[in-house]
Amino acid sequence: MQPQDDRPLLFVNARLVCPASGRDEIGSLLVAEGVIAELGSKVPPSARAETVDCRGHVLAPGLVDLGAFVGEPGAEHRETIETASRAAAVGGVTTIVARPDTTPPVDAPEIVDYLMRRARDTASVHVYPMAALTKGLAGAEMTEVGLLLEAGAVAFTDGPRSVASARVMRRAMTYARDFDALICHHVEDADLAAGGAMNEGELASRLGLPGRPVAAEALMLERDLRLAALTGARYHASLVSSAESVGLVARAKAAGTRVTCGASVAHLTLNENDVGEYRTFFKLTPPLRHEDDRRALVEALADGVIDVVCSAHDPQDVETKRRPFAEAEDGAIGIETMLAAGLRLVHSGDVTLHRLLAAMSTNPAKLLGLPAGALTVGAPADLILFDPDAPWVLEASRLKSKSKNTPFDQARLQGRVWRTVIAGRTVYPYA
């Protein structure tokens, strides 16, 4: 981060929105020495502070993106920590939680240490690594949970791969429980989904594309939920995409299992019809589902069954996306458009602003035990100031990510980040 003026920062005339406390009021917030010093309707003016007139726009905790791919080490042609963090700052994301499916994978303490040093030297936002759940992401042998936690890992996952062996997963959950570590898992039976290019159904048949059935997700999720109940581990289904999955999670929660789940902004706002004429930027994993599934996800977010909304940021280069649909790589970028795309749900009246911000900030921070996600005195001043109503048209070429494979290219969005602040320092001012 660049050196800046160390004066206190006083936001005035702000709509203070904090999903953690339920606060939603017009007031002021004072930042001093990197933390929130005062907030509310009676914060006195300060001649010493740099004053920011928020013009009634929303001042909220910065977003925490659980499970973004940052490219380092080994895939710097797709993304780097520096470019990912720059994109994150523009999108209001103050904390990136990075996936471990790099080259080599993050399955040893020294690689966790490398990532943390790279983040310290090049990132403009916080970057925390997740470690691999199994060595080499091979699904066979567990990693050293205790040592990786000690090195700085904040959760365990094999990224976009599922652990096929129930025996290995049970053992991993048992060890993770003893450390109270969070396991995040990609829920898809790889064998059942093998060869699929999009959601299995009528549209896939008409397009002549092989499908990936909802059952592949439900089978793996159901297995994991039973194992989580058996072991008592903390378990997070990283990306659910269907009505059946949210039903399974809801039942597990009602039964007292320590389970949470997430969904991507793309799966909450797009459906399989967006694939259109074989548009590869809409080829994701899990695939975009039927509109009925998307509606079920939105209702589950509104009801609190879905705990976390993430970007599922997965940069792909031109060579891997400009291929016939069935051969193109899965994945899309999203860290820079996460908030603006998510606000579609607020503007449509399906989800409240508090609920959306809780899923993008408070809940992931709480799951990972990070000091973020709340506007409280003494908390780190990781903040975003945004206008939820500002209209704009997304141009992919202007995005800060190294790759440009966004499904929202030329989309009309409503909601713009005006300022992103990390520990009291502005890392992104909209010009």
Side-chain angles (χ1 to χ4, degrees):
M1 295 180 204
Q2 297 298 315
Q4 292 185 25
D5 190 344
D6 283 331
R7 288 184 302 163
L9 194 56
L10 178 63
F11 294 93
V12 300
N13 193 24
R15 180 184 169 191
L16 303 171
V17 176
C18 175
S21 63
R23 180 191 296 270
D24 190 343
E25 63 175 345
I26 296 296
S28 303
L29 185 147
L30 178 66
V31 174
E33 298 181 355
V35 301
I36 298 172
E38 287 185 74
L39 77 161
S41 58
K42 297 179 179 174
V43 178
S46 168
R48 215 179 130 249
E50 175 192 349
T51 300
V52 178
D53 184 355
C54 301
R55 303 178 188 174
H57 298 327
V58 174
L59 186 64
L63 309 185
V64 177
D65 191 19
L66 178 50
F69 183 81
V70 298
E72 293 188 58
E76 289 83 355
H77 62 292
R78 290 164 57 191
E79 193 75 286
T80 64
I81 291 174
E82 182 181 6
T83 56
S85 72
R86 206 181 305 147
V90 175
V93 175
T94 52
T95 299
I96 298 173
V97 183
R99 278 173 23 191
D101 50 313
T102 49
T103 307
V106 186
D107 61 0
E110 55 269 25
I111 306 175
V112 173
D113 181 63
Y114 165 80
L115 274 175
M116 294 181 71
R117 282 188 284 110
R118 285 290 297 163
R120 181 196 62 200
D121 294 341
T122 66
S124 54
V125 304
H126 302 296
V127 179
Y128 293 96
M130 288 198 284
L133 189 58
T134 63
K135 291 183 179 175
L137 309 173
E141 188 180 354
M142 283 176 45
T143 53
E144 296 285 352
V145 173
L147 293 177
L148 289 162
L149 282 173
E150 204 172 289
V154 295
F156 294 82
T157 179
D158 275 359
R161 301 186 191 181
S162 298
V163 176
S165 167
R167 180 177 53 81
V168 172
M169 181 54 99
R170 178 183 180 179
R171 188 175 297 168
M173 284 190 184
T174 303
Y175 276 89
R177 177 203 61 202
D178 292 343
F179 290 95
D180 199 32
L182 180 70
I183 287 181
C184 303
H185 197 220
H186 178 66
V187 283
E188 186 173 62
D189 185 307
D191 190 43
L192 188 56
M198 66 174 293
N199 182 45
E200 184 175 275
E202 182 188 339
L203 182 60
S205 298
R206 280 198 278 120
L207 293 174
L209 292 170
R212 291 160 69 172
V214 165
E217 181 175 298
L219 277 172
M220 183 62 73
L221 179 59
E222 189 151 23
R223 182 206 73 175
D224 285 357
L225 294 176
R226 285 172 177 262
L227 292 175
L230 183 66
T231 60
R234 287 203 299 135
Y235 173 83
H236 178 74
S238 298
L239 295 170
V240 296
S241 65
S242 71
E244 190 171 356
S245 293
V246 293
L248 290 169
V249 172
R251 284 194 287 278
K253 285 185 171 185
T257 307
R258 300 173 78 196
V259 58
T260 52
C261 71
S264 82
V265 165
H267 289 87
L268 286 159
T269 57
L270 305 170
N271 66 31
E272 61 179 352
N273 294 315
D274 288 296
V275 168
E277 295 297 318
Y278 306 97
R279 299 160 75 190
T280 59
F281 282 9
F282 293 84
K283 189 183 181 198
L284 311 177
T285 182
L288 294 172
R289 302 291 188 188
H290 191 274
E291 173 64 8
D292 291 345
D293 287 308
R294 187 195 73 81
R295 287 298 315 167
L297 292 183
V298 173
E299 288 171 17
L301 173 62
D303 293 344
V305 175
I306 290 178
D307 306 88
V308 172
V309 173
C310 63
S311 72
H313 185 72
D314 194 0
Q316 302 291 345
D317 57 31
V318 173
E319 286 71 24
T320 56
K321 275 295 188 184
R322 283 189 183 167
R323 291 183 175 181
F325 194 90
E327 299 171 15
E329 286 289 335
D330 295 333
I333 60 172
I335 205 164
E336 194 169 335
T337 53
M338 177 173 160
L339 178 62
L343 283 169
R344 284 179 166 182
L345 304 173
V346 176
H347 293 306
S348 65
D350 290 315
V351 177
T352 65
L353 180 59
H354 269 258
R355 182 74 197 108
L356 182 71
L357 291 177
M360 289 185 169
S361 177
T362 307
N363 293 350
K366 199 179 293 182
L367 272 179
L368 299 165
L370 300 177
L375 297 184
T376 52
V377 173
D382 298 342
L383 310 167
I384 51 169
L385 175 65
F386 66 95
D387 178 357
D389 299 316
W392 57 294
V393 177
L394 188 142
E395 294 177 40
S397 61
R398 301 186 68 174
L399 294 175
K400 303 299 182 188
S401 289
K402 209 164 190 177
S403 301
K404 308 296 180 189
N405 55 308
T406 171
F408 295 106
D409 189 20
Q410 295 303 309
R412 288 171 170 76
L413 298 172
Q414 196 175 347
R416 184 124 221 172
V417 174
W418 294 117
R419 186 183 287 241
T420 303
V421 176
I422 302 284
R425 291 172 178 263
T426 299
V427 296
Y428 168 70
Y430 180 74

